[in-house]
Amino acid sequence: MRMVQYDYDVLYIGSGHGTFDGAIPLAAKGVRVGIIEADLIGGTCPNRGCNAKITLDAPVVLSRTVTDMQGIVDGQVTINWPGNMAHKHEVIDDLPDMIGGLLDSVHIDVIHGRGRLTDAHTVTIGETVKTAENIVIATGLRPHRLDIPGSDLAHDSSDFMNLTELPQRLTIIGAGYIAMEFATIANAAGADVTLIMRGDRALRHYYQPYVEQILTDLTERGVKFLRNTQVTAIEAIDQGVTVTTDNGTSIASDWVLDATGRIPNVEDLGLEKVGVAYTQHGISVNDQLQTSVPNIYASGDVIDKVQPKLTPTAVFESMYLSHKFAGESDAAIDYPAIPSVVFTSPRIAKVGISVTHAKENDTYTIESHNVLDDWYRHVNKERFGENQLIFDAEHHLVGATEISDQAADVINTLLPAIEFKFTAEQLGRLVPLFPSIGYSTLGEL
């Protein structure tokens, strides 16, 4: 019997995928749920992340296809940046209200404002005080900002995805997902792009021979890459800004994107006050997503974890907590194989054991494929297509990496075989649609 009457059974701080995917079915089961949100309902992904990015990228994919198929189709495609941005707003602007409607439909209270923990069961939002039996911190990540003179002249990823006019001269600082994807989009839309890399490698968690193909292609399209270069200052001039580097190079630019990474939102939450442990990589949790305070949990990108900090990971964690709070399971979280993709053109996607790890361990077998040998890849005249498939000693597929226009769909096709360790006999029971990328992909196994 509950000795203390709290306002909620579960109170979430943050309303992104680390929250709402699990909170909605949880509340539908009669659990009293509240959500605190200081910004837009839905968090980063629907409002200033995945959904916006893929919408801005869609014309890039179309323009690449039209270029590759010249002689079959005639004419070239030019990206209308204001039109592209307007379409992005058509796609995403209603999402907060849509998600808010789903929350309201199961009677979840949404409290707008910044939540701060005052004890293990209490959160203050301005003058409002709310209590809960369990609290979930799902505050996500935010853009890292360089600590250099003139850093206030640089912009972040949210700013880029709200540009009403595309700058003619764009300088991007960084070499990760955001830097490479936005360089691809801006270059295709006609900007003069310079990308500054602190080290020698871009997308360092991906198979580097494939990454270098992307860099080479973007270079041929006009993107300038400065490797092993650090930005030391940004200065306003009459016509834009000047970006100064440690090797003496100065780049004249109209707009600067700071894409040097993302950091967890752990500040000003009262974590120290109540004893929630965290590191520079996020909140520390155990195998049940509990923090160092037993009734306080964390979900989504704010967690310090080895799993990819991606929307599907946050959704999985949110659903795990939903089952736990509903009393349906008390097992430790068991993460599945989680794929990741870089939305450059072509894409690079991967899942499971990496090529690098497989090469360091002789228990694995690596099969390399030039997928352009497959007739189906010639339908759209694809120019890039290679993959590495990794098998264990029993010849179960345990990892895959591909570079191609359709890499994301390829990895999704292979995902069940990796997660459930399909045998050759089980794979033989699969009869995919033909012709399709799934049919071509499974034919490689």
Side-chain angles (χ1 to χ4, degrees):
M1 182 174 180
R2 184 181 292 129
M3 301 300 294
V4 179
Q5 182 64 43
Y6 298 111
D7 296 321
Y8 302 103
D9 298 314
V10 184
L11 180 59
Y12 295 83
I13 304 177
S15 68
H17 280 286
T19 291
F20 74 81
D21 290 274
I24 292 169
L26 181 64
K29 296 167 185 172
V31 177
R32 296 174 303 148
V33 175
I35 294 175
I36 301 167
E37 177 54 64
D39 199 352
L40 292 171
I41 295 294
T44 296
C45 188
N47 297 300
R48 56 181 66 90
C50 331
N51 302 50
K53 173 186 68 180
I54 203 66
T55 305
L56 293 176
D57 179 69
V60 180
V61 175
L62 175 61
S63 67
R64 294 280 204 265
T65 302
V66 170
T67 298
D68 292 343
M69 297 189 74
Q70 284 299 296
I72 302 168
V73 298
D74 295 326
Q76 292 290 338
V77 171
T78 301
I79 296 175
N80 179 327
W81 186 263
N84 196 20
M85 190 61 64
H87 177 54
K88 181 213 75 169
H89 285 292
E90 291 173 352
V91 172
I92 73 167
D93 282 0
D94 290 338
L95 293 178
D97 287 342
M98 183 272 287
I99 297 167
L102 293 174
L103 299 175
D104 186 62
S105 72
V106 290
H107 310 294
I108 293 176
D109 291 342
V110 178
I111 305 107
H112 293 279
R114 183 171 186 83
R116 295 175 179 84
L117 293 159
T118 53
D119 65 42
H121 293 278
T122 307
V123 182
T124 60
I125 312 98
E127 299 299 316
T128 302
V129 178
K130 295 293 182 181
T131 61
E133 183 174 358
N134 293 298
I135 295 170
V136 180
I137 302 168
T139 48
L141 302 170
R142 69 179 186 277
H144 170 267
R145 299 307 297 265
L146 288 168
D147 183 15
I148 57 172
S151 60
D152 58 309
L153 298 170
H155 303 270
D156 63 24
S157 55
S158 297
D159 298 327
F160 178 86
M161 288 189 287
N162 282 299
L163 279 170
T164 54
E165 298 289 339
L166 185 67
Q168 182 57 44
R169 300 172 300 173
L170 173 64
T171 299
I172 299 175
I173 307 168
Y177 286 90
I178 292 171
M180 294 296 293
E181 291 172 347
F182 289 3
T184 299
I185 293 170
N187 167 259
D192 180 4
V193 179
T194 299
L195 191 145
I196 301 173
M197 302 166 54
R198 183 178 63 179
D200 191 49
R201 300 189 303 166
L203 301 170
R204 55 193 176 88
H205 295 300
Y206 284 81
Y207 186 49
Q208 285 301 298
Y210 292 172
V211 174
E212 288 299 323
Q213 290 186 44
I214 300 289
L215 295 177
T216 298
D217 181 64
L218 284 172
T219 299
E220 292 172 353
R221 295 178 184 277
V223 177
K224 294 179 282 293
F225 292 94
L226 304 181
R227 302 188 191 225
N228 299 309
T229 301
Q230 295 201 48
V231 175
T232 55
I234 305 171
E235 181 181 1
I237 57 176
D238 290 340
Q239 299 293 325
V241 297
T242 296
V243 179
T244 304
T245 69
D246 60 347
N247 60 19
T249 303
S250 293
I251 302 109
S253 184
D254 297 313
W255 207 84
V256 178
L257 171 64
D258 182 347
T260 53
R262 292 175 65 77
I263 56 177
N265 288 312
V266 294
E267 298 85 3
D268 198 25
L269 291 175
L271 301 184
E272 298 89 350
K273 182 178 179 63
V274 299
V276 173
Y278 65 92
T279 72
Q280 63 177 336
H281 302 296
I283 294 175
S284 304
V285 296
N286 64 12
D287 62 6
Q288 297 205 349
L289 302 187
Q290 282 177 301
T291 70
S292 50
V293 179
N295 72 293
I296 299 179
Y297 297 76
S299 178
D301 290 353
V302 76
I303 296 176
D304 181 356
K305 59 190 173 186
V306 297
Q307 290 77 22
K309 294 193 175 187
L310 301 169
T311 292
T313 318
V315 172
F316 187 83
E317 290 161 349
S318 179
M319 293 303 300
Y320 166 80
L321 287 177
S322 179
H323 293 304
K324 180 176 179 63
F325 294 141
E328 297 166 350
S329 173
D330 199 38
I333 190 167
D334 181 14
Y335 285 99
I338 299 173
S340 59
V341 58
V342 187
F343 288 103
T344 46
S345 292
R347 317 301 204 197
I348 303 179
K350 65 174 183 173
V351 67
I353 299 296
S354 70
V355 178
T356 301
H357 180 73
K359 288 182 175 179
E360 294 171 349
N361 190 324
D362 59 11
T363 64
Y364 297 111
T365 301
I366 302 173
E367 293 183 4
S368 301
H369 297 269
N370 177 359
V371 300
L372 296 183
D373 290 339
D374 176 20
W375 73 271
Y376 190 65
R377 301 296 186 125
H378 295 264
V379 172
N380 287 342
K381 303 194 72 166
E382 293 187 52
R383 298 191 302 116
F384 295 86
E386 297 179 45
N387 67 33
Q388 308 277 324
L389 303 182
I390 300 160
F391 298 87
D392 65 13
E394 290 76 39
H395 204 69
H396 298 123
L397 184 69
V398 293
T401 297
E402 173 154 320
I403 178 173
S404 74
D405 294 340
Q406 303 186 71
D409 289 335
V410 166
I411 296 302
N412 272 340
T413 298
L414 296 174
L415 190 57
I418 293 173
E419 177 61 24
F420 300 112
K421 292 185 168 53
F422 287 165
T423 64
E425 181 181 2
Q426 289 171 320
L427 287 168
R429 294 286 304 165
L430 300 177
V431 183
L433 290 169
F434 179 87
S436 69
I437 193 65
Y439 190 98
S440 294
T441 299
L442 290 173
E444 295 174 353
L445 298 180

